[in-house]
Amino acid sequence: MNNQNYIDKLYYRYATKKFDPTKNLDDEQIEDVKKAIQLSASSYGLQPYEVLIIKDMDLRKKLKAVSYGQPQITDAFRLLVFCANTKIDEDYLDAYIKNISETRGISIDDLKGMRDTIYNTTLQMDEETKTIWAQKQAYLALGNLLSAVAHFGFDACPMEGFENDKYDDILGLKEKNLKATVIATIGYRSEEDQLQHAKKVRKPQNELFTEI
Ligand SMILES: Cc1cc2nc3c(=O)[nH]c(=O)nc-3n(C[C@H](O)[C@H](O)[C@H](O)COP(=O)(O)O)c2cc1C
């Protein structure tokens, strides 16, 4: 891949405030978004999150009301809600070990060492710490989504500006052992969004990096 081409796309990407509600993504684009999220790295590969992809406009209007009225929620093609799993227990771990076993053709016995390691580390965290850990993994998936969308040539807006507990209530997440963590909208930018022309504001590299 041409690296400069990728860097140019990262410059092109911005947190889109105004989406064009008339421009849709097609099924293939949505499939690619799903793959980019699915292929995200996560601690031990546990992927302790699920992502809701919301089309329903009535639901999105309700969610917008608890997202400080941010217009992206209803203007974009889809709203994605990254939800942390709040129940990472032995059943969850065993389902993961079974997936590795079946996918890679390794016996469950041969995966015992890995299971023990995860059991003795992640599963021993208290519930609050474990949820924070799960939320961090969800943010990594969000990061992957943002880079992927830039690469694909459409737009996204990551958002923390919403009332997490109200999302949990509206979407019935507690019953599913999920917690709304961070959201993103995807679609195409509106030509009217002036922010797309603004220069990137970033720390200078000498403040960001130390080479030792
Ligand atoms: C985790 C996270 C939460 C954010 N929350 C919001 C938000 O609620 N509303 C919004 O308009 N932008 C939000 N942003 C966008 C940032 O303001 C934006 O990424 C930052 O200013 C850098 O600009 P750029 O992404 O356009 O380069 C969020 C970004 C991140 C990564």
Side-chain angles (χ1 to χ4, degrees), residues 1 5 8-9 13 28 32-33 36 63-64 74 80-81 86 95 98 101-102 105 108 119 139 147 166 179 200 204 208:
M1 200 209 308
N5 191 20
D8 288 345
K9 286 178 172 176
R13 187 208 65 76
E28 201 177 321
D32 288 344
V33 162
L63 295 170
K64 181 178 171 180
T74 45
L80 275 59
V81 181
T86 55
K98 185 166 174 275
S101 166
E102 288 172 1
I108 299 280
Y119 179 79
Y139 272 85
S147 304
K166 296 205 171 137
K179 195 176 174 63
K200 286 268 172 235
L208 190 57

Side-chain angles (χ1 to χ4, degrees), residues 14-19 72 189-198:
Y14 77 112
T16 303
K17 305 290 174 214
K18 199 169 167 41
F19 284 82
Q72 303 94 309
R189 65 185 66 181
S190 160
E191 283 175 17
E192 290 166 19
D193 192 354
Q194 292 309 314
L195 206 60
Q196 65 191 289
H197 306 299

Side-chain angles (χ1 to χ4, degrees), residues 17 24 32 62 82 86-87 91-92 114 140 150-151 166-167 170 176 184:
K17 305 290 174 214
N24 296 337
D32 288 344
K62 279 186 204 151
F82 290 78
T86 55
K87 197 164 176 242
D91 286 346
Y92 188 97
M114 181 179 188
L140 277 179
H151 185 75
K166 296 205 171 137
Y167 266 56
I170 292 169
K176 297 177 185 156

Side-chain angles (χ1 to χ4, degrees), residues 1-209:
M1 200 209 308
N2 175 335
N3 292 347
Q4 188 54 46
N5 191 20
Y6 184 67
I7 300 294
D8 288 345
K9 286 178 172 176
L10 294 182
Y11 274 106
Y12 177 79
R13 187 208 65 76
Y14 77 112
T16 303
K17 305 290 174 214
K18 199 169 167 41
F19 284 82
D20 184 339
T22 66
K23 279 194 181 165
N24 296 337
L25 300 174
D26 62 30
D27 291 349
E28 201 177 321
Q29 288 170 312
I30 293 296
E31 193 50 41
D32 288 344
V33 162
K34 288 181 182 172
K35 280 184 196 152
I37 293 171
Q38 185 184 20
L39 290 169
S40 295
S42 63
S43 177
Y44 291 122
L46 281 163
Q47 295 177 283
Y49 48 80
E50 291 181 27
V51 183
L52 306 182
I53 302 176
I54 307 183
K55 175 183 176 188
D56 187 290
M57 206 38 91
D58 289 337
L59 196 49
R60 277 159 64 179
K61 281 182 189 157
K62 279 186 204 151
L63 295 170
K64 181 178 171 180
V66 294
S67 310
Y68 307 98
Q70 298 199 67
Q72 303 94 309
I73 307 281
T74 45
D75 285 350
F77 183 65
R78 292 287 183 268
L79 166 67
L80 275 59
V81 181
F82 290 78
C83 308
N85 284 119
T86 55
K87 197 164 176 242
I88 303 298
D89 56 9
E90 282 195 77
D91 286 346
Y92 188 97
L93 175 55
D94 285 332
Y96 176 51
I97 296 292
K98 185 166 174 275
N99 188 357
I100 303 176
S101 166
E102 288 172 1
T103 306
R104 294 188 168 162
I106 304 170
S107 72
I108 299 280
D109 264 4
D110 285 344
L111 291 165
K112 191 178 175 307
M114 181 179 188
R115 187 195 186 282
D116 288 348
T117 302
I118 300 174
Y119 179 79
N120 290 325
T121 53
T122 308
L123 264 70
Q124 300 310 313
M125 292 175 189
D126 63 59
E127 290 310 312
E128 193 186 341
T129 308
K130 220 193 294 177
T131 297
I132 293 169
W133 163 82
Q135 290 179 314
K136 288 179 187 168
Q137 313 307 315
Y139 272 85
L140 277 179
L142 170 77
N144 232 24
L145 167 78
L146 298 180
S147 304
V149 161
H151 185 75
F152 299 153
F154 43 95
D155 296 292
C157 186
M159 283 175 273
E160 280 177 328
F162 67 99
E163 296 176 66
N164 306 54
D165 289 347
K166 296 205 171 137
Y167 266 56
D168 291 349
D169 290 344
I170 292 169
L171 297 168
L173 297 179
K174 262 188 206 133
E175 302 85 280
K176 297 177 185 156
N177 301 310
L178 295 172
K179 195 176 174 63
T181 295
V182 67
I183 62 176
T185 51
I186 54 171
Y188 280 100
R189 65 185 66 181
S190 160
E191 283 175 17
E192 290 166 19
D193 192 354
Q194 292 309 314
L195 206 60
Q196 65 191 289
H197 306 299
K199 274 194 173 169
K200 286 268 172 235
V201 179
R202 291 296 190 268
K203 278 186 182 178
Q205 291 199 357
N206 64 355
E207 288 177 22
L208 190 57
F209 303 107

